């Protein structure tokens, strides 16, 4: 096991800007849930069994706390964390009341960025971007490093909510930074929506209880291109860049409305009908856009939507409708709370925090199998992922339930990590390597036979 050292490589700044082929995004893991935001890989060599000691290519301890996912480009792995120089209260697992911490901690924190070698787990460089007492609070289970970075293969863009955005080259040199004004969030829970990239723009949604907005920045300089106000309160959903046959859109789920904007920040279409807290990330599959919102405290609306491209204006469903011209289908009480949904092998998988899973036809919304109990399963926050004819569901205890991709619930086996591995970050998949970040460390799993 490797502990993070303070030594850092000093390397030259990348001086040229080059075009990144679209295929390169498919061979890397550049953002939350991968290049297409779906959490799916087609690599047949990825591991299906692992533990704290089995099929471990390397594991590197990470100081502090962070629920951001790792992102990977080439042989570089990037991850963020925030180190409390005082005492951190240990989080309790699962869904519960009583996790609100409305006052910021009265201790100095360090906001950190780490770059690791994909093959060895060695630390190539580390950067501290800020050191101070936090100005805003977070939920007991959350972290000040919950937003996943994004990269285009030339630069790394790191967003720490209620602090700012920091841009680095791959050698750890800071290229620019943009401080952002902190805002209050619902119950002091903090922020979590990750930034996304499209061509030369970086896009960020900041939904809070004071001044919500969608922001576009010049990716090369950090200059603000435009800022569109949003009539929303706190949400935690990462936006989605939807490239369909008609246009490129920025899709932003929200409590009040789901909205889609053009690349100039102008509203294209919108609809009402979400739950009162929105967390899951949208994605596209076979021409349809999937959006979900499922706060467990809501009794009337926890929906999943499948949206067709080309909409304009208000496309809200009427109370007695489950479809219209642009909404292919809606399951009004099927949405998950924390995890995003997953479409894999013509099935839409829905993982629920309390340890249930259901499956739907992604084209029609019809049930494939009803909500089924995962034996001894509980506390699922991480979004499910899939490859090799299997669906993987990781809970906060560090237990991954490996399921057959089938028309009924078939659990093949469980993969169990160490006792100190609390898991809330979604994984990264690159080549034949699976990266899972826990509260204690970053694992790289790889089948042993690949080393023979």
């Amino acid at each position: 096991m490797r502990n993070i050292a303070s030594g850092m490589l000093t390397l030259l700044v990348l001086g040229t800007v080059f075009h990144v082929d679209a295929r390169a995004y498919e061979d890397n893991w550049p953002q939350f849930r991968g290049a297409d935001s779906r959490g799916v890989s087609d690599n047949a060599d990825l591991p299906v069994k692992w533990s704290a000691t089995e099929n471990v290519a390397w594991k590197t301890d990470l100081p502090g706390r962070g629920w951001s996912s790792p992102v990977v480009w080439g042989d570089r792995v990037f991850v963020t964390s925030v180190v409390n120089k005082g005492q951190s209260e240990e989080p309790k697992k699962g869904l519960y009341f009583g996790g609100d911490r409305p006052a910021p901690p009265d201790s100095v924190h360090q906001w950190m960025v780490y770059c690791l070698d994909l093959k060895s787990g060695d630390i190539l460089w580390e950067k501290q971007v800020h050191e101070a007492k936090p100005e805003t609070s977070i939920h007991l289970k959350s972290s000040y490093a919950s937003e996943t970075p994004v990269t285009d293969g030339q630069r790394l863009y790191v967003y720490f909510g209620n602090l700012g955005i920091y841009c680095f080259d791959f050698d750890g040199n800071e290229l620019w930074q943009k401080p952002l004004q902190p805002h209050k969030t619902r119950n002091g829970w903090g922020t979590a929506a990750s930034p996304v990239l499209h061509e030369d723009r970086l896009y960020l949604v900041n939904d809070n209880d004071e001044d919500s907005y969608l922001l576009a920045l010049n990716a090369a300089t950090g200059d603000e291109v435009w800022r569109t106000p949003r009539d929303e309160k706190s949400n935690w959903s990462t936006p989605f860049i939807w490239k369909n046959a008609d246009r490129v859109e920025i899709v932003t789920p929200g409590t009040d409305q789901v909205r889609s904007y053009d690349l100039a920040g102008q509203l294209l279409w919108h609809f009402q009908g979400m739950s009162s807290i929105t967390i899951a990330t949208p994605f596209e599959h076979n021409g349809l856009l999937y959006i979900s919102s499922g706060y467990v405290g809501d009794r009337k609306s926890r929906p999943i939507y499948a949206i067709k491209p080309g909409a304009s204006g208000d496309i809200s469903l009427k109370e007695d409708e489950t479809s219209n011209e642009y909404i292919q289908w809606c399951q009004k009480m099927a949405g998950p709370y924390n995890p995003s949904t997953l479409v894999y092998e013509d099935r839409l998988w829905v993982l629920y925090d309390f340890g249930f899973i259901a499956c739907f036809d992604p084209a029609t919304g019809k049930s494939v199998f009803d909500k089924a109990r995962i034996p001894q399963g509980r506390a699922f926050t991480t979004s499910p992922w899939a490859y090799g004819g299997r669906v993987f569901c990781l809970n906060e205890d560090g237990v991954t339930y490996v399921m057959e991709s089938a028309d009924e619930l078939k659990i093949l086996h469980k993969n169990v990590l160490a006792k100190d591995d609390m898991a809330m970050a979604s994984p990264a998949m690159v080549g034949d390597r699976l990266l899972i970040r826990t509260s204690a460390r970053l694992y790289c799993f790889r089948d042993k036979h690949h080393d023979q």
Side-chain angles (χ1 to χ4, degrees), residues 127-131 156-160 163-168 173-180 202 215 217-224:
K127 285 286 186 176
Q128 177 181 298
V129 301
H130 188 65
E131 183 173 18
L156 174 72
Y157 305 89
V158 177
Y159 171 51
F160 291 105
L163 183 62
I165 305 171
Y166 303 84
C167 177
F168 296 90
N173 300 292
E174 186 178 292
L175 302 179
W176 55 261
Q177 62 172 267
K178 182 176 179 59
L180 294 174
L202 181 73
L215 178 65
L217 300 179
N218 183 304
T221 66
D223 294 335
E224 186 168 314

Side-chain angles (χ1 to χ4, degrees), residues 135-440:
E135 295 186 43
T136 53
S137 63
I138 55 174
H139 189 277
L140 172 61
K141 279 176 60 180
S142 190
S143 77
Y144 288 104
S146 290
E147 295 84 5
T148 297
V150 61
T151 180
D152 55 10
Q154 305 170 56
R155 309 179 192 96
L156 174 72
Y157 305 89
V158 177
Y159 171 51
F160 291 105
N162 280 330
L163 183 62
I165 305 171
Y166 303 84
C167 177
F168 296 90
D169 66 21
F170 272 30
D171 299 326
N173 300 292
E174 186 178 292
L175 302 179
W176 55 261
Q177 62 172 267
K178 182 176 179 59
L180 294 174
Q181 181 179 351
H183 291 290
K184 293 179 181 179
T185 55
R186 175 172 174 157
N187 299 325
W189 286 350
T191 61
S194 302
V196 293
L197 276 168
H198 176 66
E199 294 182 346
D200 59 350
R201 301 274 177 88
L202 181 73
Y203 298 100
L204 172 72
V205 170
N206 188 327
D207 282 352
N208 56 76
D209 278 11
E210 296 178 329
D211 182 22
S212 298
Y213 56 86
L214 171 63
L215 178 65
L217 300 179
N218 183 304
T221 66
D223 294 335
E224 186 168 314
V225 180
W226 49 259
R227 181 185 295 238
T228 297
R230 287 169 55 78
D231 186 15
E232 283 287 343
K233 298 299 183 182
S234 297
N235 287 295
W236 294 267
S237 175
T238 296
F240 176 65
I241 304 296
W242 187 17
K243 305 170 201 172
N244 54 56
D246 296 314
R247 60 205 175 196
V248 180
E249 310 177 28
I250 311 165
V251 181
T252 63
T255 294
D256 182 65
Q257 293 185 35
V258 173
R259 299 174 179 86
S260 184
Y261 303 86
D262 66 18
L263 297 182
Q266 301 300 309
L267 186 65
L268 294 170
W269 53 264
H270 59 97
F271 67 83
Q272 294 180 319
M274 300 288 272
S275 71
S276 60
I277 295 177
T278 298
I279 297 174
T281 300
F283 61 92
E284 179 271 338
H285 178 69
N286 283 349
L288 291 177
L289 174 73
Y290 296 91
I291 299 174
S292 63
S293 177
Y295 175 50
V296 293
D298 288 354
R299 295 291 178 261
K300 293 184 178 180
S301 182
R302 299 198 298 270
I304 302 174
Y305 293 93
I307 311 295
K308 292 182 283 188
S312 63
D314 187 351
I315 63 169
S316 301
L317 292 171
K318 296 178 182 178
E319 187 172 349
D320 59 345
E321 290 181 331
T322 58
S323 66
N324 61 26
E325 182 181 1
Y326 289 105
I327 296 179
Q328 176 92 348
W329 59 262
C330 173
Q331 282 280 357
K332 293 189 176 181
M333 292 299 294
Y337 180 31
N338 277 294
S340 299
T341 58
L342 172 77
V343 171
Y344 181 62
E345 294 186 340
D346 292 324
R347 301 178 186 90
L348 188 149
W349 297 80
V350 185
L351 176 63
Y352 300 96
D353 295 66
F354 286 117
F356 291 84
I357 194 163
C359 190
F360 298 87
D361 183 322
T364 65
K366 294 181 179 178
S367 176
V368 175
F369 65 80
D370 292 331
K371 191 181 292 186
R373 179 73 182 176
I374 300 172
Q376 300 178 322
R378 70 176 200 100
F380 289 91
T381 298
T382 298
S383 297
W385 69 96
Y387 54 75
R390 297 170 177 85
V391 172
F392 301 84
C393 301
L394 170 64
N395 72 7
E396 293 179 14
D397 292 317
V399 179
T400 301
Y401 293 79
V402 183
M403 307 172 185
E404 183 179 339
S405 178
D407 288 345
E408 58 184 328
L409 178 58
K410 292 184 179 180
I411 297 176
L412 303 175
H413 59 270
K414 295 188 295 185
N415 298 329
V416 182
L417 297 180
K419 289 184 178 180
D420 62 343
D421 281 319
M422 183 177 177
M424 288 176 60
S426 294
M429 295 164 271
V430 176
D432 61 0
R433 295 173 183 266
L434 171 69
L435 296 169
I436 293 180
R437 193 248 181 100
T438 72
S439 56

